[in-house]
Structure formats: C-alpha cells, structure tokens
Amino acid sequence: MSWLQPVTLEGPYARLEPLAHDHRGPLVEAVRDGEIWKFWYTFVPVPEKMGVEIERRLSLQASGTMLPFTVRDAEGRIAGMTTYMNVDAESRRVEIGSTWYAKRVQRTAVNTQCKLLLLTHAFEKLDCVAVEFRTHVFNHVSRRGIERLGARQAGTLRNHQTSPYGLRDTVVYSILPAEWPKAKARLAYELDKKHR
C-alpha cells in the first residue's frame, strides 16, 4: 500500500475529491471561466487538452509521484484542480501545486479552504516533515498568497524549468511541522474573516 492514497477532503467552502476522467467536461467549463491558461507565468491546461492533462496527472498518480484532486465549490460545482506533487514518500515530503481555479471562485474562501484541508491532511494524517509550494519568480500574486499561508521562502531554483516564454526561475516555499499550528490558526482565521 502506498503512503499517499486517494482520499476525499471536505470543508464548508470546498470539497477535494480524487480526479477522474468523467470530470473532464466540467473542468473544461471551469478553465474557460477567466481563460486562465493564457497567463504566461502559469501552467494551466487549455480546454482542448484537458483530457490529456487528466491522463497525465492520473499517470503520475499511478507512478506514486502525484495525488491529483478535482476541486468543488460549496454548491458542488467543479471549480478547478490541485495536487500533492513531487511526492517523496521515503522522506514524507509533498508539494502542493498544479493548482488552478475558475475565475468565479478566485478571491473566495475556496482556495483558503483547500489549502487548510491539504495541509491538515499532510501534517496530521501523513506526518509530513515538510510541505512545499513553488511558483514562478514573477507570479507576485501567487507568492503573496503562499506567504499569507505562513510558508517561508526556502530559496530560488534558477533556470529551473522551460516554458513557452523561456527559462523560468522558481521560488520555493515550505512549512515545517513546528510552523504548522500557527499556519493552521491563520488559515482558520482567514476563513472566519471571509464569512462574518
């Protein structure tokens, strides 16, 4: 049995369920909301290749290096995708990433809820020694969001990945077990603040 098993995680504002092929149609609809695949500093699937992206993520799951989720909003509508990725089962480390959301749920409680669910599972069920977040050095919105989670910058991987726009520098952040209680309290506070 693998250390990282498919699981459904649910809170009041979002539900994470194992990615499945039959999610393709609603995921295409979600990615079209805001045309977020056009942002040059992100890797978001284009609508026409959503089936290929689902297959890629499920193949990585089969190899033990990713656990992909479909994200649903509080009404049960599919709103995006997220993953545990770059899984290192031996060292009990994961990265939370390859995340994107339909424009209609951006700046709502959905992302905060998803991060709280994923981090809680990672630290309190999987006993992770670290959870990472990575983003493009120029994706300042993402960097601010990661920092609001309580993650600390661990470094920059220079010329880390190729993209259609050239080489990408990747900023790496992480949260450690000793930092988790404070980060958890902060996320719970942010959720409460959004719904007062």
Side-chain angles (χ1 to χ4, degrees):
M1 178 182 269
S2 167
W3 171 66
L4 195 60
Q5 292 292 312
V7 63
T8 297
L9 305 171
E10 190 167 9
Y13 310 111
R15 173 184 166 95
L16 298 170
E17 59 189 53
L19 177 66
H21 288 288
D22 63 359
H23 296 159
R24 188 187 67 77
L27 284 167
V28 167
E29 182 182 323
V31 83
R32 283 190 173 136
D33 179 12
E35 299 184 337
I36 53 178
W37 72 89
K38 293 182 177 179
F39 298 160
W40 67 271
Y41 49 78
T42 64
F43 295 109
V44 175
V46 299
E48 298 76 22
K49 294 192 176 177
M50 187 62 70
V52 173
E53 177 62 9
I54 291 170
E55 187 56 43
R56 183 187 77 83
R57 291 185 188 212
L58 292 176
S59 175
L60 289 170
Q61 177 179 323
S63 74
T65 61
M66 179 181 276
L67 184 59
F69 295 92
T70 296
V71 177
R72 292 186 184 268
D73 62 21
E75 288 74 43
R77 290 179 61 199
I78 287 180
M81 302 168 90
T82 192
T83 72
Y84 287 130
M85 57 191 283
N86 295 319
V87 174
D88 182 346
E90 186 176 341
S91 298
R92 299 191 329 272
R93 297 177 67 95
V94 296
E95 175 188 345
I96 295 173
S98 290
T99 301
W100 62 265
Y101 300 111
K103 186 176 181 180
R104 67 182 169 78
V105 299
Q106 292 173 14
R107 291 181 166 64
T108 70
V110 168
N111 184 51
T112 306
Q113 181 75 80
C114 288
K115 294 303 187 286
L116 179 59
L117 292 167
L118 290 166
L119 286 163
T120 299
H121 188 71
F123 285 117
E124 299 178 16
K125 300 295 183 196
L126 300 175
D127 196 29
C128 284
V129 299
V131 176
E132 287 186 2
F133 301 87
R134 298 181 181 195
T135 192
H136 193 295
V137 70
F138 290 126
N139 190 343
H140 298 290
V141 172
S142 177
R143 291 179 67 176
R144 284 192 305 272
I146 292 168
E147 289 164 3
R148 278 194 305 273
L149 296 173
R152 294 177 57 184
Q153 187 172 330
T156 302
L157 303 172
R158 299 170 67 209
N159 284 354
H160 177 235
Q161 292 178 303
T162 58
S163 78
Y165 304 97
L167 290 170
R168 156 186 157 149
D169 289 351
T170 299
V171 183
V172 181
Y173 292 85
S174 63
I175 298 176
L176 304 181
E179 300 162 343
W180 168 234
K182 185 176 180 181
K184 183 178 183 179
R186 183 182 212 159
L187 285 164
Y189 171 78
E190 288 298 322
L191 276 178
D192 182 57
K193 187 171 74 172
K194 287 182 182 194
H195 290 279
R196 282 186 195 156

